[in-house]
Every structure is written in C-alpha cells, then in structure tokens.
Amino acid sequence: MYRSDQVKKGIERAPHRSLFYAMGYTLDELEKPIIGVVNSGNEMIPGHIHLDIIVQSVKMGILEAGGTPMEFRVIGICDGIAMGHKGMKYSLASRELIADSIEAMVEAYQLDGMVLITNCDKIVPGMLMASARLNLPSIILSGGPMIAGKWKGRDVDLISVFEGIGQVKAGKMKPEELYELEKYACPGCGSCSGMFTANTMNCLSEALGLALPYNGTLPAAYDGMRKRLSKDAGKRIVQLVKDGIKSRDILTRTAFENAIAVDMALGGSTNTVLHLLAIAREAKVELPLDTFQKISERTPNICKLSPASSQHIQDLHEAGGIPGVMKELLEGNLIDPSALTVSGKTIGEIAQDAVIRDRNVIRPLEDPYAPDGGIAILYGNLAPEGAVVKKSAVSPKMLRHVGPARVFNSEEEAIEEIYAGKIRRKDVVVIRYEGPKGGPGMREMLGPTSALSGMGLDEDVALITDGRFSGGSRGAAIGHISPEAAEGGPIALIRDGDIIEIDIPNRKLNVKLDENELENRKREWIPKKREIEFNYLRRYSALVTSASYGAVLRDLYEDL
C-alpha cells in the first residue's frame, strides 16, 4: 500500500522491524505511512535556531492525521556569516549537497512523503530541488522571516549594518554608532527581514504550489501562528500521500511561470533566477533563461521591500502576503489560476480568498512602481548568454550608464580599492573569476555593493561580475555574467579603461570593443587558475555549469 512497505513489510523484513523497535517505534506506527521530517535546524543560522520547535508541531500534525514522522537533519550555511571571506565559496555549492543528502536518506528508507523544514539562503532551493528530483508527496515549510529591528526611530536590518561599514569608511557614521546598530539590526530568529534570497524563495514556494499560504511571510516571531501552520503542514502531507499527489504533479511549467510572475511583482532576489532554473531541471521542466525576460516584460513591479525601500516582510504579510500579491496578478490575468497546490486548493482559489489590506505595500496593477518586473535579463557582447540585475533596486539615474572599467580579479581586490576611496564616479567596477567554476562557488558580492551604497556611490558607480549578489544588494549591480571569465567569456577580456555601456530598460550590456579586438584578445588570453584547497570544491568546480543553466552540476550523461 505504501512505498515504505518495501522496508518494513513481510517476513523478509523482520530484521528491519527489529531495528525500528530498537528506536522505540511500535508495530502500529510501522503500519502507517512514514513521513520524513527533514530538519535543517542548527545553532549556526539565526533563521534556523528555532526550527526544532517547528519540527515538533509538524510531527504533531502528522501523528494526528495518521502518519508516522521520522526526523533527519541536513546541513545549512548562513550567507551573512559566510559573506566576504572564503566561506562564501561553499554557500551555493552547499545547495547540491543538501539535495543529494536528502535523496540519499529518502531513497535509503523509501519514505512515503516529506515535510522539508527550511528557511535560509541555499537550504530552501536545495530542498525544492530534492522535492522535484524525488517526485514524492512533499511540502516546503519555512521557519518564517525575522522582524525588522528598530534603531534611532527607523526600521533596520542586516543590510543596514553592511552599509554602515561603508558609512564609517566615508566618515558618515562613527564606529561606536555602527557597534550600536549591529545590536539592534537583527532582533531575533528568522530569515533576514527584507526581500532577500531566503524570503524570496520562501515566498516563491507558495507560488510554485509546494508551500501552504503565508509560508513565506508569516514572521518567525508570531510563534502561535507558526505552530498552527506547521501542524497544518503535518496534516496535509499525510493527505497528499493518501491521495498520491506528488511534487511533479504540482511543479509544472505553469507553476514555474506563476512563480516567475510573482517574483517579478515582488522585485525579488536575482538569486531566484539561478534557483528556479535548477529546480526546473530537477522537475524535468524546460525553462530557458529568456522565459524570465518574457514574463518580466508583462508583469508590473507592485511591491518594493528592503533593500529597495524601508518596507519589510512583516509589512507584506500584514498587507495580504503572497495570496494578496497573487490576487492582484490574477486581476490582470498574469498568473494561471488552475495550478495545483499542496493546500488542496488551486492558486486561483487561494488568490480569490485573499484580502489586500495595504495598497502602499501591494500596489494596484494600474499604479505599479514600474510597468515591468523587478528583475531584468541583459544580453550583449559582454554577456552573450545573459546577465541578471535587480532592476527594482537600481536608482533611476543608473538604469542607463556609460563609464570606464575598473577591473579586478577577485572580490577582495575590489573591496580594498572601494574602501580606499580609489573608485571614481562614473566607474564600472568589474569583478571577475568569481563565477561558479572560477570562484569556485559564485560568491555573493554584498560587501562591495554595500560599500558603494554606504559611501554614497551607488547612484554613480556600477558593478558587474560573473559572480552573484545577495538579495540584499542594491544599486546597478549586474551579476551572473555568462559565460564566466574562467570559461573564457568576454568578461575575461576587459581591460582597465574599456568603456562599458549599461542599458537596463533595453536589456543591453556591452563593452565598446569591436568583434576583431575581442577575438584578438581571446587569442592572447591566459586563464587565471585558482588554487582550490579541498576536494569538494575541486569536484564542484569540475562539474558545475554556467549560471545561465542555474549553476547546476553537470549530469555525466548529458552535455550542457
């Protein structure tokens, strides 16, 4: 009757049952569907420090609905703590480890379904990838966003602290003020409070249909409400197993298009492009990069949250959450209401039931922040396979920019020059050899972008890279340039003083060099090799694909 019967049923499985008995399970419990409770809780990430409490509520829901919960853990890295040093090389790479480790546990035990309890950075997409790959009944459940801190009468968050460093370097803030700010910016558990990568992906889990309504916006601090949502997830997963509804029944091309539309409306993190491409690949859904651009062109940007404004996730929740955003998009026929969700309702039914309570947070389609989406895909002779920018967080005066290149072969080289005051207005900072293969690991560049913002240069200086940006980055920060420098992409050929042309409204990114000059430079190009200290990153660098494919690991049986 159940998939797990292969492990626990029949006379041949007497030794297996004996081992379950050793852990205290009863025969009655083994007769029920076994639900994997995948816990990424640890004591190293503020978004995960409280997940053991969430787990207990999920287990209660599973037991009440007639299932048997069995918990196991997966790793997790806090991007904020890994930021700005060699630890960031492991962040994106950990996404693949998370998906692989879940596969190993679920297949070894032949589990019937999963509740994937997550919250931050690469853990959310890693779990979504595992769900898509394994194609079992599964539900994504977040621990909820952190509430914003209060300091000197204004809302603050982690990005306020990063930008504070630049303000101190520029003499705009005293060091003792920064030390005070750091104590108030992150007031408690939860994923950092802006529309950064973790919260964007948790919100998109709802739009994809794999999470219950309000999963992405209900604050971690709303303890009772979070426990109730967690119990509901436990109950629903047992019903999904009984109904035979699997992840790929939900993760259709329509679901991905709905999620991209919500992403564009929110002005989410650029990292979502990487992650949605990777999840689609696991779900066996064709999702070319230019799909994002097509949906962006028709989807207005109706929300602006930190780092693009002073509003935070709790404000979005109180305004109506993701159901409210989808309600507005449904009014313009911008999402497909027929898509299934783990709640038992369609996307359309969830949207119709929603209430929009604050039009300053969720704007109407006829009065958006911008007529097109918050993320833009750029192409040109500098990015033949594409580049990504969070358009909603770019100053209007920087949407078009022409300036000389200042070229750096690492994040560290660039940030040293920025803090030393050696970057001039109009410059285009180029950081290369930080892509998936070249980094390796495609490090986030929150340090350089925050330094530019804190020093007051974000409206005069652009930054382009084959690496990526934190969801908290703002300014003309263009990442994911593909092909990357380590693969001989055009970004490897730029020299100091070359003129870079950025035209975000027309989706263009070019260097003012003719084709012959680029070809001559390519013939002279000598790849820059980085010493990679440990085996995992060596394997990752050897197998990882371009950002334009989601920076997934190359399948040994296909050619990407």
Side-chain angles (χ1 to χ4, degrees):
M1 181 179 176
Y2 296 118
R3 185 172 182 264
S4 60
D5 289 349
Q6 299 174 75
V7 176
K8 64 190 185 186
K9 283 277 189 177
I11 191 168
E12 296 87 356
R13 297 295 179 258
H16 304 64
R17 291 191 295 274
S18 184
L19 291 168
F20 281 115
Y21 296 154
M23 293 182 279
Y25 293 104
T26 66
L27 183 58
D28 180 58
E29 288 172 320
L30 296 181
E31 294 288 334
K32 299 173 183 178
I34 295 179
I35 308 298
V37 179
V38 188
N39 182 5
S40 59
N42 62 44
E43 297 180 352
M44 304 178 80
I45 311 177
H48 294 233
I49 194 73
H50 63 305
L51 291 190
D52 287 352
I53 298 170
I54 300 293
V55 164
Q56 295 311 311
S57 295
V58 171
K59 290 178 180 178
M60 290 171 68
I62 292 170
L63 290 167
E64 185 179 335
T68 297
M70 293 188 183
E71 177 188 348
F72 66 90
R73 299 206 177 227
V74 297
I75 65 166
I77 292 172
C78 174
D79 276 20
I81 294 173
M83 192 75 65
H85 55 88
K86 68 183 290 186
M88 182 48 73
K89 294 178 183 289
Y90 284 89
S91 173
L92 184 60
S94 74
R95 185 186 70 176
E96 318 305 311
L97 281 175
I98 290 163
D100 290 349
S101 66
I102 293 170
E103 175 194 336
M105 290 296 288
V106 169
E107 289 301 292
Y109 285 81
Q110 291 295 290
L111 301 179
D112 298 302
M114 303 180 285
V115 179
L116 299 138
I117 302 170
T118 182
N119 220 21
C120 291
D121 300 310
K122 307 310 164 293
I123 301 99
V124 186
M127 288 187 167
L128 283 163
M129 288 167 66
S131 172
R133 181 189 302 175
L134 294 166
N135 195 28
L136 295 177
S138 56
I139 293 177
I140 293 288
L141 178 65
S142 84
M146 187 185 294
I147 60 172
K150 284 281 188 183
W151 185 67
K152 293 188 174 182
R154 64 184 176 95
D155 285 352
V156 291
D157 54 36
L158 181 66
I159 306 310
S160 308
V161 186
F162 270 100
E163 293 183 358
I165 300 169
Q167 292 171 12
V168 170
K169 298 281 188 181
K172 298 177 180 180
M173 179 186 284
K174 295 177 181 177
E176 52 268 30
E177 289 181 297
L178 180 59
Y179 297 145
E180 183 180 307
L181 170 61
E182 71 186 41
K183 295 172 185 174
Y184 286 89
C186 299
C189 65
S191 47
C192 295
S193 56
M195 191 53 75
F196 314 144
T197 304
N199 288 327
T200 308
M201 288 306 302
N202 280 322
C203 289
L204 297 191
S205 297
E206 291 185 48
L208 282 168
L210 279 189
L212 296 178
Y214 306 104
N215 170 74
T217 60
L218 179 60
Y222 293 10
D223 183 59
M225 297 172 77
R226 267 281 155 202
K227 287 178 179 176
R228 293 199 298 275
L229 182 66
S230 302
K231 289 175 184 175
D232 287 344
K235 294 174 188 176
R236 280 300 306 163
I237 190 62
V238 177
Q239 192 61 49
L240 291 174
V241 170
K242 291 177 179 177
D243 293 342
I245 298 175
K246 300 177 181 180
S247 293
R248 289 187 210 159
D249 297 328
I250 294 169
L251 291 175
T252 62
R253 172 66 184 245
T254 296
F256 282 97
E257 290 183 352
N258 282 345
I260 294 169
V262 170
D263 196 9
M264 297 304 165
L266 292 172
S269 165
T270 53
N271 283 315
T272 58
V273 176
L274 281 178
H275 299 325
L276 288 173
L277 289 172
I279 297 160
R281 182 168 179 264
E282 296 285 4
K284 303 188 184 305
V285 170
E286 187 176 345
L287 193 70
L289 181 61
D290 61 7
T291 307
F292 291 82
Q293 190 51 50
K294 291 174 182 175
I295 294 175
S296 178
E297 288 171 0
R298 66 175 186 248
T299 309
N301 177 203
I302 59 174
C303 298
K304 242 188 202 311
L305 294 103
S306 177
S309 80
S310 60
Q311 295 175 355
H312 289 82
I313 301 298
Q314 71 223 49
D315 300 311
L316 177 59
H317 181 70
E318 290 159 12
I322 299 308
V325 174
M326 293 194 297
K327 184 182 189 74
E328 190 62 25
L329 293 177
L330 191 58
E331 289 291 322
N333 295 315
L334 295 169
I335 57 172
D336 189 326
S338 67
L340 298 176
T341 78
V342 293
S343 71
K345 296 180 178 181
T346 64
I347 285 288
E349 289 169 334
I350 291 170
Q352 287 169 357
D353 291 343
V355 177
I356 300 175
R357 300 183 184 88
D358 190 339
R359 282 301 191 177
N360 292 319
V361 178
I362 303 174
R363 285 196 174 182
L365 290 175
E366 59 269 20
D367 183 29
Y369 286 102
D372 53 1
I375 294 174
I377 311 298
L378 311 184
Y379 293 93
N381 69 354
L382 194 46
E385 294 179 8
V388 183
V389 63
K390 185 170 182 171
K391 185 174 71 69
S392 59
V394 179
S395 166
K397 67 180 286 189
M398 288 297 290
L399 291 173
R400 291 183 174 88
H401 181 80
V402 178
R406 293 291 306 280
V407 182
F408 304 96
N409 289 329
S410 72
E411 177 187 3
E412 288 83 359
E413 292 175 16
I415 202 164
E416 183 179 341
E417 292 288 287
I418 294 169
Y419 282 145
K422 295 181 179 180
I423 301 301
R424 303 285 178 255
R425 298 184 189 279
K426 288 289 189 182
D427 283 350
V428 178
V429 175
V430 179
I431 304 178
R432 62 191 182 191
Y433 293 102
E434 291 286 10
K437 181 180 290 294
M442 203 180 182
R443 288 194 289 178
E444 288 185 349
M445 303 290 174
L446 181 56
T449 59
S450 296
L452 291 171
S453 296
M455 298 176 78
L457 294 172
D458 57 304
E459 293 197 358
D460 296 284
V461 174
L463 195 160
I464 68 174
T465 181
D466 54 6
R468 59 195 176 90
F469 295 107
S470 161
S473 291
R474 60 188 175 99
I478 300 168
H480 307 201
I481 291 177
S482 300
E484 64 175 287
E487 296 276 23
I491 192 172
L493 312 178
I494 298 174
R495 297 171 183 169
D496 276 339
D498 287 345
I499 301 301
I500 308 294
E501 295 181 311
I502 298 167
D503 186 350
I504 294 173
N506 289 308
R507 311 304 194 245
K508 299 293 184 184
L509 178 62
N510 288 294
V511 57
K512 290 189 75 172
L513 297 172
D514 62 34
E515 197 170 313
N516 288 335
E517 176 62 19
L518 285 171
E519 287 177 0
N520 289 336
R521 291 188 186 185
K522 183 65 180 284
R523 282 192 290 270
E524 298 169 1
W525 172 68
I526 300 174
K528 179 179 173 58
K529 300 272 187 182
R530 277 211 174 102
E531 184 70 26
I532 305 176
E533 188 174 2
F534 296 116
N535 281 340
Y536 179 64
L537 284 185
R538 288 195 198 109
R539 293 197 301 273
Y540 182 85
S541 180
L543 291 173
V544 72
T545 62
S546 167
S548 59
Y549 291 102
V552 296
L553 296 187
R554 182 173 283 104
D555 191 315
L556 298 179
Y557 298 100
E558 64 181 339
D559 184 24
L560 283 180

Short mmCIF file of all heavy atoms in Angstrom, two decimals, residues 168-199:
data_model
loop_
_atom_site.label_atom_id
_atom_site.label_comp_id
_atom_site.label_asym_id
_atom_site.label_seq_id
_atom_site.Cartn_x
_atom_site.Cartn_y
_atom_site.Cartn_z
N VAL A 168 30.96 54.33 7.76
CA VAL A 168 32.09 54.61 8.66
C VAL A 168 33.33 54.94 7.85
O VAL A 168 34.06 55.91 8.14
CB VAL A 168 32.34 53.41 9.60
CG1 VAL A 168 33.65 53.59 10.35
CG2 VAL A 168 31.19 53.24 10.58
N LYS A 169 33.60 54.17 6.79
CA LYS A 169 34.78 54.42 5.95
C LYS A 169 34.73 55.80 5.30
O LYS A 169 35.77 56.43 5.09
CB LYS A 169 34.89 53.35 4.87
CG LYS A 169 35.07 51.93 5.39
CD LYS A 169 36.48 51.63 5.80
CE LYS A 169 36.66 50.15 6.13
NZ LYS A 169 38.03 49.84 6.58
N ALA A 170 33.48 56.26 5.00
CA ALA A 170 33.33 57.55 4.34
C ALA A 170 33.20 58.69 5.35
O ALA A 170 33.02 59.84 4.95
CB ALA A 170 32.10 57.53 3.44
N GLY A 171 33.28 58.38 6.63
CA GLY A 171 33.17 59.41 7.66
C GLY A 171 31.76 59.88 7.92
O GLY A 171 31.55 60.93 8.55
N LYS A 172 30.75 59.10 7.46
CA LYS A 172 29.35 59.49 7.64
C LYS A 172 28.73 58.89 8.90
O LYS A 172 27.60 59.23 9.25
CB LYS A 172 28.53 59.06 6.42
CG LYS A 172 28.97 59.71 5.12
CD LYS A 172 28.15 59.18 3.95
CE LYS A 172 28.58 59.82 2.64
NZ LYS A 172 27.79 59.30 1.49
N MET A 173 29.44 57.98 9.53
CA MET A 173 28.96 57.34 10.75
C MET A 173 30.15 57.08 11.66
O MET A 173 31.25 56.77 11.17
CB MET A 173 28.23 56.02 10.43
CG MET A 173 27.72 55.26 11.64
SD MET A 173 27.03 53.62 11.25
CE MET A 173 25.44 54.08 10.55
N LYS A 174 29.95 57.22 12.95
CA LYS A 174 31.02 56.94 13.90
C LYS A 174 31.09 55.44 14.17
O LYS A 174 30.05 54.77 14.18
CB LYS A 174 30.76 57.70 15.21
CG LYS A 174 30.81 59.21 15.05
CD LYS A 174 30.47 59.89 16.38
CE LYS A 174 30.50 61.41 16.21
NZ LYS A 174 30.11 62.09 17.48
N PRO A 175 32.28 54.89 14.40
CA PRO A 175 32.39 53.46 14.68
C PRO A 175 31.50 53.01 15.83
O PRO A 175 30.90 51.93 15.77
CB PRO A 175 33.88 53.28 15.02
CG PRO A 175 34.57 54.38 14.29
CD PRO A 175 33.62 55.54 14.32
N GLU A 176 31.40 53.85 16.88
CA GLU A 176 30.57 53.46 18.02
C GLU A 176 29.08 53.38 17.64
O GLU A 176 28.32 52.59 18.24
CB GLU A 176 30.77 54.39 19.21
CG GLU A 176 30.61 55.88 18.91
CD GLU A 176 31.92 56.55 18.54
OE1 GLU A 176 32.82 55.89 17.98
OE2 GLU A 176 32.03 57.76 18.85
N GLU A 177 28.66 54.17 16.64
CA GLU A 177 27.27 54.07 16.17
C GLU A 177 27.05 52.75 15.46
O GLU A 177 25.99 52.11 15.60
CB GLU A 177 26.95 55.23 15.23
CG GLU A 177 26.85 56.58 15.90
CD GLU A 177 26.51 57.68 14.90
OE1 GLU A 177 27.33 57.92 13.98
OE2 GLU A 177 25.43 58.28 15.05
N LEU A 178 28.04 52.32 14.68
CA LEU A 178 27.94 51.03 13.99
C LEU A 178 27.86 49.90 15.00
O LEU A 178 27.07 48.96 14.84
CB LEU A 178 29.12 50.84 13.04
CG LEU A 178 29.15 49.52 12.25
CD1 LEU A 178 27.92 49.37 11.39
CD2 LEU A 178 30.42 49.43 11.40
N TYR A 179 28.68 49.96 16.05
CA TYR A 179 28.65 48.92 17.08
C TYR A 179 27.29 48.87 17.77
O TYR A 179 26.82 47.80 18.17
CB TYR A 179 29.76 49.16 18.12
CG TYR A 179 31.16 49.09 17.55
CD1 TYR A 179 32.16 49.92 18.03
CD2 TYR A 179 31.47 48.19 16.54
CE1 TYR A 179 33.44 49.87 17.50
CE2 TYR A 179 32.74 48.13 16.01
CZ TYR A 179 33.73 48.97 16.49
OH TYR A 179 35.00 48.91 15.97
N GLU A 180 26.64 50.01 17.89
CA GLU A 180 25.30 50.05 18.48
C GLU A 180 24.27 49.50 17.51
O GLU A 180 23.41 48.69 17.87
CB GLU A 180 24.95 51.49 18.87
CG GLU A 180 23.60 51.63 19.55
CD GLU A 180 23.29 53.07 19.91
OE1 GLU A 180 24.13 53.72 20.56
OE2 GLU A 180 22.20 53.54 19.51
N LEU A 181 24.38 49.90 16.23
CA LEU A 181 23.45 49.43 15.20
C LEU A 181 23.46 47.92 15.09
O LEU A 181 22.39 47.28 14.95
CB LEU A 181 23.81 50.08 13.86
CG LEU A 181 23.10 49.53 12.61
CD1 LEU A 181 21.60 49.72 12.70
CD2 LEU A 181 23.66 50.22 11.35
N GLU A 182 24.64 47.32 15.14
CA GLU A 182 24.73 45.87 14.95
C GLU A 182 23.96 45.09 16.01
O GLU A 182 23.56 43.94 15.78
CB GLU A 182 26.20 45.41 14.93
CG GLU A 182 26.90 45.47 16.26
CD GLU A 182 28.38 45.15 16.17
OE1 GLU A 182 29.06 45.59 15.23
OE2 GLU A 182 28.87 44.43 17.07
N LYS A 183 23.72 45.71 17.16
CA LYS A 183 23.00 45.03 18.24
C LYS A 183 21.48 45.09 18.04
O LYS A 183 20.75 44.32 18.66
CB LYS A 183 23.37 45.65 19.58
CG LYS A 183 24.82 45.45 19.95
CD LYS A 183 25.19 46.23 21.20
CE LYS A 183 26.70 46.12 21.50
NZ LYS A 183 27.11 46.98 22.62
N TYR A 184 21.01 46.02 17.19
CA TYR A 184 19.57 46.21 17.00
C TYR A 184 19.07 45.68 15.67
O TYR A 184 17.86 45.47 15.50
CB TYR A 184 19.24 47.70 17.11
CG TYR A 184 19.29 48.24 18.51
CD1 TYR A 184 20.47 48.75 19.03
CD2 TYR A 184 18.16 48.25 19.32
CE1 TYR A 184 20.53 49.24 20.33
CE2 TYR A 184 18.20 48.75 20.62
CZ TYR A 184 19.39 49.24 21.12
OH TYR A 184 19.44 49.73 22.39
N ALA A 185 19.95 45.48 14.70
CA ALA A 185 19.52 45.20 13.33
C ALA A 185 18.83 43.85 13.17
O ALA A 185 17.93 43.70 12.35
CB ALA A 185 20.71 45.30 12.38
N CYS A 186 19.27 42.86 13.92
CA CYS A 186 18.72 41.50 13.80
C CYS A 186 18.18 41.09 15.17
O CYS A 186 18.90 40.48 15.97
CB CYS A 186 19.80 40.53 13.33
SG CYS A 186 20.49 40.94 11.71
N PRO A 187 16.92 41.43 15.47
CA PRO A 187 16.42 41.31 16.84
C PRO A 187 16.08 39.90 17.31
O PRO A 187 15.84 39.69 18.50
CB PRO A 187 15.17 42.19 16.83
CG PRO A 187 14.72 42.19 15.42
CD PRO A 187 15.96 42.11 14.59
N GLY A 188 16.02 38.92 16.41
CA GLY A 188 15.66 37.57 16.86
C GLY A 188 15.69 36.59 15.72
O GLY A 188 16.20 36.86 14.63
N CYS A 189 15.10 35.41 15.96
CA CYS A 189 15.17 34.32 14.98
C CYS A 189 14.39 34.66 13.71
O CYS A 189 13.52 35.52 13.69
CB CYS A 189 14.65 33.04 15.61
SG CYS A 189 12.89 33.09 16.05
N GLY A 190 14.74 33.95 12.65
CA GLY A 190 14.07 34.12 11.37
C GLY A 190 15.05 34.44 10.26
O GLY A 190 16.20 34.80 10.50
N SER A 191 14.59 34.30 9.02
CA SER A 191 15.40 34.67 7.86
C SER A 191 15.40 36.19 7.74
O SER A 191 14.38 36.84 7.96
CB SER A 191 14.84 34.01 6.60
OG SER A 191 13.44 34.20 6.52
N CYS A 192 16.56 36.77 7.39
CA CYS A 192 16.75 38.22 7.42
C CYS A 192 15.60 38.95 6.74
O CYS A 192 15.12 38.53 5.68
CB CYS A 192 18.09 38.59 6.79
SG CYS A 192 19.49 37.97 7.73
N SER A 193 15.18 40.08 7.31
CA SER A 193 13.81 40.57 7.17
C SER A 193 13.44 41.26 5.87
O SER A 193 12.29 41.66 5.71
CB SER A 193 13.52 41.53 8.33
OG SER A 193 14.47 42.59 8.35
N GLY A 194 14.33 41.42 4.93
CA GLY A 194 13.98 42.05 3.65
C GLY A 194 13.64 41.03 2.58
O GLY A 194 13.62 39.82 2.83
N MET A 195 13.37 41.51 1.38
CA MET A 195 13.11 40.63 0.25
C MET A 195 14.44 40.17 -0.33
O MET A 195 14.81 40.44 -1.46
CB MET A 195 12.24 41.34 -0.81
CG MET A 195 11.72 40.40 -1.91
SD MET A 195 10.83 38.96 -1.29
CE MET A 195 9.27 39.67 -0.79
N PHE A 196 15.17 39.46 0.55
CA PHE A 196 16.47 38.90 0.18
C PHE A 196 16.23 37.48 -0.35
O PHE A 196 15.09 37.05 -0.51
CB PHE A 196 17.41 38.92 1.37
CG PHE A 196 17.42 40.23 2.14
CD1 PHE A 196 17.56 40.25 3.52
CD2 PHE A 196 17.29 41.45 1.48
CE1 PHE A 196 17.55 41.45 4.22
CE2 PHE A 196 17.29 42.65 2.16
CZ PHE A 196 17.42 42.65 3.55
N THR A 197 17.29 36.73 -0.60
CA THR A 197 17.12 35.44 -1.27
C THR A 197 16.25 34.47 -0.50
O THR A 197 15.35 33.84 -1.05
CB THR A 197 18.50 34.81 -1.54
OG1 THR A 197 19.30 35.71 -2.29
CG2 THR A 197 18.35 33.51 -2.30
N ALA A 198 16.50 34.31 0.80
CA ALA A 198 15.75 33.32 1.59
C ALA A 198 14.26 33.63 1.56
O ALA A 198 13.44 32.74 1.30
CB ALA A 198 16.28 33.29 3.02
N ASN A 199 13.91 34.87 1.86
CA ASN A 199 12.49 35.21 1.91
C ASN A 199 11.86 35.17 0.52
O ASN A 199 10.70 34.77 0.38
CB ASN A 199 12.30 36.59 2.54
CG ASN A 199 12.56 36.56 4.03
OD1 ASN A 199 12.30 35.57 4.70
ND2 ASN A 199 13.10 37.64 4.56
#
